[in-house]
Amino acid sequence: MNKTTALKSPRLATSSKKKVLKRITLSLTSDEAQNLEKYCEQTGRPAMDVIRELIQALP
């Protein structure tokens, strides 16, 4: 298969409900950043996962 054929080939079916990601910047005080880093070290989880879980728990 040549390059042109590969580009024109239909892609595999994907979910019609694609998640749209939005990047945000979060400003934290030094104390807040230290608390987050400490929590992440204790739990072995990345900050992104911790923050995402907290946001998902919002009403």
Side-chain angles (χ1 to χ4, degrees):
M1 177 181 331
N2 64 34
K3 218 176 200 180
T4 306
T5 305
L7 293 175
K8 290 181 180 179
S9 297
R11 294 181 182 246
L12 295 176
T14 57
S15 173
S16 60
K17 294 182 180 180
K18 275 190 173 179
K19 288 186 178 182
V20 176
L21 299 179
K22 183 173 183 175
R23 183 175 299 267
I24 63 168
T25 301
L26 179 64
S27 297
L28 301 173
T29 65
S30 294
D31 287 342
E32 292 168 337
Q34 287 176 346
N35 285 341
L36 179 59
E37 289 172 7
K38 184 178 177 183
Y39 181 82
C40 291
E41 287 174 7
Q42 290 173 346
T43 61
R45 298 170 56 213
M48 185 169 55
D49 290 351
V50 171
I51 294 167
R52 182 178 290 126
E53 184 176 292
L54 291 169
I55 292 171
Q56 289 172 350
L58 293 172

Coordinates of all heavy atoms in Angstrom, one line a residue:
M1 N 0.9 -1.2 0.0 CA 0.0 0.0 0.0 C 0.9 1.2 0.0 O 1.8 1.3 0.8 CB -0.9 0.0 1.3 CG -1.8 1.2 1.4 SD -2.8 1.3 2.8 CE -3.2 -0.4 3.3
N2 N 0.6 2.2 -0.9 CA 1.5 3.3 -1.0 C 0.9 4.4 0.0 O -0.2 4.3 0.6 CB 1.6 3.9 -2.4 CG 0.3 4.4 -3.0 OD1 -0.6 4.9 -2.2 ND2 0.1 4.2 -4.3
K3 N 1.7 5.5 0.2 CA 1.3 6.5 1.1 C 0.0 7.2 0.8 O -0.8 7.4 1.7 CB 2.4 7.6 1.1 CG 2.8 8.1 2.4 CD 3.9 9.1 2.3 CE 4.6 9.3 3.6 NZ 5.7 10.2 3.6
T4 N -0.3 7.4 -0.5 CA -1.5 8.1 -0.9 C -2.7 7.2 -0.5 O -3.7 7.7 0.0 CB -1.5 8.3 -2.4 OG1 -0.4 9.1 -2.7 CG2 -2.8 9.1 -2.8
T5 N -2.6 5.9 -0.7 CA -3.7 5.0 -0.4 C -3.9 5.0 1.1 O -5.1 5.0 1.5 CB -3.4 3.6 -0.9 OG1 -3.1 3.6 -2.3 CG2 -4.5 2.6 -0.7
A6 N -2.9 4.9 1.9 CA -3.0 4.9 3.3 C -3.7 6.1 3.8 O -4.5 6.1 4.7 CB -1.6 4.8 4.0
L7 N -3.4 7.3 3.2 CA -4.1 8.5 3.7 C -5.5 8.6 3.3 O -6.3 9.2 4.0 CB -3.3 9.7 3.1 CG -1.9 9.9 3.7 CD1 -1.2 11.1 2.9 CD2 -1.9 10.2 5.2
K8 N -5.9 7.9 2.2 CA -7.3 8.0 1.7 C -8.2 6.9 2.3 O -9.4 7.0 2.3 CB -7.3 7.9 0.2 CG -6.8 9.1 -0.5 CD -6.9 8.9 -2.0 CE -6.4 10.2 -2.7 NZ -6.4 10.0 -4.2
S9 N -7.5 5.9 3.0 CA -8.3 4.8 3.5 C -9.1 5.3 4.7 O -8.7 6.2 5.5 CB -7.4 3.7 4.1 OG -6.6 3.2 3.0
P10 N -10.4 4.8 4.8 CA -11.2 5.3 6.0 C -10.6 4.8 7.3 O -10.0 3.7 7.4 CB -12.5 4.6 5.7 CG -12.3 3.5 4.8 CD -11.0 3.8 4.0
R11 N -10.7 5.6 8.3 CA -10.2 5.2 9.6 C -11.2 4.3 10.3 O -12.4 4.2 9.9 CB -10.1 6.5 10.5 CG -9.0 7.4 9.9 CD -8.9 8.6 10.9 NE -7.9 9.5 10.3 CZ -6.8 9.8 10.9 NH1 -6.5 9.3 12.0 NH2 -5.9 10.6 10.3
L12 N -10.7 3.6 11.3 CA -11.6 2.7 12.0 C -12.7 3.5 12.7 O -12.5 4.7 13.0 CB -10.8 1.9 13.1 CG -9.7 1.0 12.5 CD1 -8.9 0.4 13.7 CD2 -10.3 -0.1 11.7
A13 N -13.8 2.9 12.9 CA -14.9 3.6 13.5 C -14.6 4.0 14.9 O -14.0 3.2 15.7 CB -16.2 2.6 13.5
T14 N -14.9 5.2 15.3 CA -14.6 5.7 16.7 C -15.9 6.1 17.3 O -16.9 6.4 16.6 CB -13.6 6.8 16.7 OG1 -14.1 7.9 15.8 CG2 -12.2 6.4 16.1
S15 N -15.9 6.3 18.6 CA -17.1 6.8 19.3 C -17.5 8.1 18.7 O -16.7 9.0 18.5 CB -16.8 6.9 20.8 OG -17.9 7.4 21.4
S16 N -18.8 8.3 18.5 CA -19.3 9.6 18.1 C -19.3 10.6 19.2 O -19.4 11.8 19.0 CB -20.7 9.5 17.5 OG -21.5 9.0 18.5
K17 N -19.1 10.2 20.4 CA -19.0 11.1 21.6 C -17.6 11.3 22.0 O -17.2 10.8 23.1 CB -19.9 10.6 22.7 CG -21.3 10.5 22.4 CD -22.1 10.0 23.6 CE -23.6 9.9 23.3 NZ -24.4 9.4 24.4
K18 N -16.8 12.0 21.2 CA -15.4 12.3 21.5 C -15.3 13.3 22.7 O -16.1 14.2 22.8 CB -14.7 12.9 20.3 CG -14.1 11.9 19.4 CD -13.2 12.6 18.4 CE -12.5 11.6 17.5 NZ -11.7 12.3 16.6
K19 N -14.4 13.0 23.6 CA -14.2 13.9 24.7 C -13.4 15.1 24.2 O -12.4 14.9 23.5 CB -13.5 13.3 25.9 CG -14.3 12.3 26.6 CD -13.5 11.8 27.8 CE -14.4 10.8 28.6 NZ -13.7 10.3 29.8
V20 N -13.8 16.3 24.5 CA -13.1 17.5 24.1 C -12.3 17.9 25.3 O -12.9 18.1 26.4 CB -14.1 18.6 23.6 CG1 -13.3 19.9 23.4 CG2 -14.9 18.2 22.4
L21 N -11.0 18.1 25.2 CA -10.2 18.5 26.3 C -10.0 20.0 26.3 O -9.8 20.6 25.2 CB -8.8 17.8 26.3 CG -8.9 16.2 26.3 CD1 -7.5 15.7 26.2 CD2 -9.6 15.8 27.6
K22 N -9.9 20.6 27.4 CA -9.6 22.0 27.5 C -8.5 22.2 28.5 O -8.6 21.7 29.7 CB -10.9 22.8 28.0 CG -10.7 24.2 28.0 CD -12.0 25.0 28.3 CE -11.8 26.5 28.3 NZ -13.0 27.2 28.5
R23 N -7.5 22.8 28.1 CA -6.3 23.1 29.0 C -6.5 24.3 29.8 O -7.0 25.3 29.3 CB -5.0 23.2 28.2 CG -3.8 23.4 29.0 CD -2.6 23.4 28.1 NE -2.4 22.2 27.3 CZ -1.7 21.1 27.7 NH1 -1.1 21.2 28.9 NH2 -1.6 20.1 26.9
I24 N -6.3 24.2 31.1 CA -6.4 25.4 32.0 C -5.1 25.5 32.8 O -4.3 24.6 32.9 CB -7.6 25.2 33.0 CG1 -7.3 24.1 34.0 CG2 -8.9 25.1 32.3 CD1 -8.3 24.1 35.1
T25 N -4.8 26.7 33.2 CA -3.7 27.0 34.1 C -4.2 27.4 35.4 O -5.1 28.2 35.6 CB -2.9 28.2 33.5 OG1 -2.5 27.9 32.2 CG2 -1.7 28.5 34.3
L26 N -3.6 26.8 36.4 CA -4.1 26.9 37.8 C -3.0 27.6 38.6 O -1.8 27.1 38.7 CB -4.4 25.6 38.4 CG -4.9 25.5 39.8 CD1 -6.2 26.2 40.0 CD2 -5.0 24.1 40.3
S27 N -3.3 28.8 39.2 CA -2.3 29.5 40.0 C -2.5 29.0 41.5 O -3.6 29.1 42.0 CB -2.5 31.0 39.9 OG -2.2 31.4 38.6
L28 N -1.4 28.6 42.1 CA -1.5 28.2 43.5 C -0.5 28.9 44.3 O 0.6 29.3 43.8 CB -1.2 26.7 43.6 CG -2.0 25.7 42.9 CD1 -1.5 24.3 43.0 CD2 -3.5 25.7 43.4
T29 N -0.8 29.2 45.6 CA 0.1 29.7 46.5 C 1.2 28.7 46.8 O 1.0 27.5 46.5 CB -0.5 30.1 47.9 OG1 -1.0 28.9 48.5 CG2 -1.7 31.1 47.7
S30 N 2.3 29.1 47.4 CA 3.4 28.1 47.7 C 2.9 27.0 48.6 O 3.2 25.9 48.4 CB 4.6 28.8 48.3 OG 5.2 29.7 47.4
D31 N 2.1 27.4 49.6 CA 1.5 26.5 50.5 C 0.6 25.5 49.8 O 0.7 24.3 50.1 CB 0.8 27.1 51.7 CG 1.7 27.8 52.7 OD1 2.9 27.5 52.7 OD2 1.2 28.7 53.4
E32 N -0.2 26.0 49.0 CA -1.2 25.1 48.2 C -0.4 24.1 47.3 O -0.7 22.9 47.3 CB -2.1 25.9 47.4 CG -3.1 26.7 48.2 CD -3.9 27.8 47.4 OE1 -3.4 28.2 46.3 OE2 -5.0 28.2 47.8
A33 N 0.6 24.6 46.7 CA 1.4 23.8 45.8 C 2.1 22.7 46.6 O 2.2 21.5 46.2 CB 2.4 24.6 45.0
Q34 N 2.7 23.1 47.7 CA 3.4 22.1 48.6 C 2.4 21.1 49.1 O 2.7 19.9 49.2 CB 4.0 22.8 49.8 CG 5.3 23.6 49.4 CD 5.9 24.3 50.6 OE1 5.2 24.5 51.6 NE2 7.1 24.8 50.4
N35 N 1.2 21.5 49.5 CA 0.2 20.5 50.0 C -0.2 19.5 48.9 O -0.3 18.3 49.1 CB -1.1 21.2 50.5 CG -0.9 21.9 51.8 OD1 0.0 21.6 52.6 ND2 -1.8 22.9 52.1
L36 N -0.4 20.0 47.7 CA -0.7 19.2 46.5 C 0.4 18.2 46.2 O 0.2 17.0 46.1 CB -1.0 20.0 45.3 CG -1.4 19.2 44.0 CD1 -2.6 18.3 44.2 CD2 -1.6 20.2 42.9
E37 N 1.7 18.7 46.2 CA 2.8 17.8 45.9 C 3.0 16.8 47.0 O 3.2 15.6 46.7 CB 4.1 18.7 45.9 CG 4.2 19.5 44.6 CD 5.3 20.5 44.6 OE1 6.2 20.4 45.6 OE2 5.4 21.3 43.7
K38 N 2.8 17.1 48.3 CA 2.9 16.2 49.4 C 1.8 15.1 49.3 O 2.1 13.9 49.4 CB 2.7 16.9 50.7 CG 2.9 16.1 51.9 CD 2.8 16.9 53.2 CE 2.9 16.0 54.4 NZ 2.7 16.8 55.7
Y39 N 0.6 15.5 48.9 CA -0.5 14.6 48.8 C -0.2 13.6 47.6 O -0.4 12.4 47.8 CB -1.8 15.3 48.5 CG -3.0 14.4 48.4 CD1 -3.6 13.8 49.5 CD2 -3.5 14.0 47.1 CE1 -4.7 13.0 49.4 CE2 -4.6 13.1 47.0 CZ -5.2 12.6 48.1 OH -6.2 11.7 48.0
C40 N 0.3 14.1 46.5 CA 0.6 13.3 45.4 C 1.7 12.3 45.7 O 1.6 11.1 45.3 CB 1.0 14.2 44.2 SG -0.4 15.1 43.5
E41 N 2.7 12.7 46.5 CA 3.8 11.8 46.9 C 3.2 10.7 47.8 O 3.6 9.6 47.6 CB 4.9 12.6 47.6 CG 5.7 13.4 46.7 CD 6.7 14.3 47.4 OE1 6.9 14.1 48.7 OE2 7.4 15.2 46.8
Q42 N 2.4 11.1 48.7 CA 1.8 10.1 49.6 C 0.9 9.1 48.9 O 0.9 7.9 49.3 CB 1.0 10.8 50.7 CG 1.8 11.6 51.7 CD 1.0 12.5 52.6 OE1 -0.2 12.6 52.4 NE2 1.6 13.0 53.7
T43 N 0.2 9.5 47.9 CA -0.8 8.6 47.3 C -0.2 8.0 46.0 O -0.8 7.1 45.5 CB -2.1 9.4 46.9 OG1 -1.7 10.5 46.0 CG2 -2.8 10.0 48.1
G44 N 0.9 8.5 45.5 CA 1.5 8.0 44.3 C 0.7 8.4 43.1 O 0.8 7.7 42.0
R45 N -0.1 9.4 43.2 CA -0.9 9.8 42.0 C -0.5 11.1 41.5 O 0.0 12.0 42.2 CB -2.4 9.9 42.5 CG -2.9 8.6 43.0 CD -4.3 8.7 43.7 NE -5.2 9.3 42.8 CZ -6.2 10.1 43.2 NH1 -6.4 10.3 44.5 NH2 -7.1 10.6 42.4
P46 N -0.6 11.3 40.2 CA -0.2 12.6 39.6 C -1.2 13.7 39.9 O -2.4 13.4 40.1 CB -0.2 12.3 38.1 CG -0.9 11.1 37.9 CD -0.9 10.3 39.2
A47 N -0.7 14.9 40.0 CA -1.5 16.1 40.4 C -2.7 16.2 39.4 O -3.8 16.5 39.8 CB -0.7 17.3 40.4
M48 N -2.5 15.9 38.1 CA -3.6 16.1 37.2 C -4.8 15.1 37.5 O -5.9 15.5 37.5 CB -3.1 15.7 35.8 CG -4.2 15.9 34.7 SD -3.5 15.9 33.0 CE -2.7 14.3 32.9
D49 N -4.5 13.9 38.0 CA -5.5 13.0 38.3 C -6.3 13.4 39.6 O -7.5 13.3 39.7 CB -5.0 11.6 38.5 CG -4.5 10.9 37.2 OD1 -4.8 11.5 36.2 OD2 -3.9 9.9 37.3
V50 N -5.5 13.9 40.6 CA -6.1 14.4 41.8 C -7.0 15.6 41.6 O -8.2 15.6 42.0 CB -5.0 14.8 42.8 CG1 -5.5 15.5 44.0 CG2 -4.1 13.6 43.2
I51 N -6.6 16.5 40.8 CA -7.4 17.7 40.5 C -8.6 17.3 39.7 O -9.7 17.8 40.0 CB -6.5 18.8 39.8 CG1 -5.5 19.3 40.7 CG2 -7.4 19.9 39.3 CD1 -4.4 20.1 40.1
R52 N -8.4 16.5 38.7 CA -9.6 16.1 37.9 C -10.6 15.4 38.7 O -11.8 15.6 38.6 CB -9.1 15.1 36.7 CG -10.3 14.7 35.8 CD -9.8 13.8 34.7 NE -9.0 14.6 33.7 CZ -7.8 14.3 33.3 NH1 -7.2 13.3 33.8 NH2 -7.2 15.1 32.5
E53 N -10.2 14.5 39.6 CA -11.1 13.8 40.5 C -11.9 14.7 41.4 O -13.1 14.6 41.6 CB -10.4 12.8 41.4 CG -11.3 11.9 42.2 CD -10.5 10.9 43.0 OE1 -9.9 9.9 42.3 OE2 -10.4 11.0 44.2
L54 N -11.2 15.7 41.9 CA -11.9 16.7 42.8 C -12.9 17.5 42.0 O -14.0 17.8 42.4 CB -10.8 17.7 43.4 CG -9.9 17.1 44.4 CD1 -8.8 18.0 44.8 CD2 -10.7 16.7 45.7
I55 N -12.6 17.9 40.7 CA -13.5 18.6 39.9 C -14.7 17.8 39.6 O -15.9 18.2 39.6 CB -12.8 19.1 38.6 CG1 -11.8 20.2 39.0 CG2 -13.8 19.6 37.6 CD1 -10.9 20.6 37.8
Q56 N -14.5 16.5 39.3 CA -15.6 15.6 38.9 C -16.6 15.4 40.1 O -17.7 15.1 40.0 CB -15.1 14.3 38.5 CG -14.4 14.3 37.1 CD -13.7 13.1 36.7 OE1 -13.5 12.2 37.5 NE2 -13.3 13.0 35.5
A57 N -16.1 15.6 41.4 CA -16.9 15.4 42.5 C -17.7 16.7 42.9 O -18.6 16.6 43.7 CB -16.0 15.1 43.8
L58 N -17.5 17.8 42.1 CA -18.3 19.0 42.3 C -19.7 18.7 42.0 O -20.0 18.0 41.0 CB -17.7 20.1 41.5 CG -16.3 20.6 41.9 CD1 -15.9 21.7 40.9 CD2 -16.4 21.2 43.3
P59 N -20.7 19.4 42.7 CA -22.1 19.2 42.3 C -22.5 19.9 41.0 O -21.8 20.7 40.5 CB -22.8 19.9 43.5 CG -21.8 20.7 44.2 CD -20.5 20.2 43.8

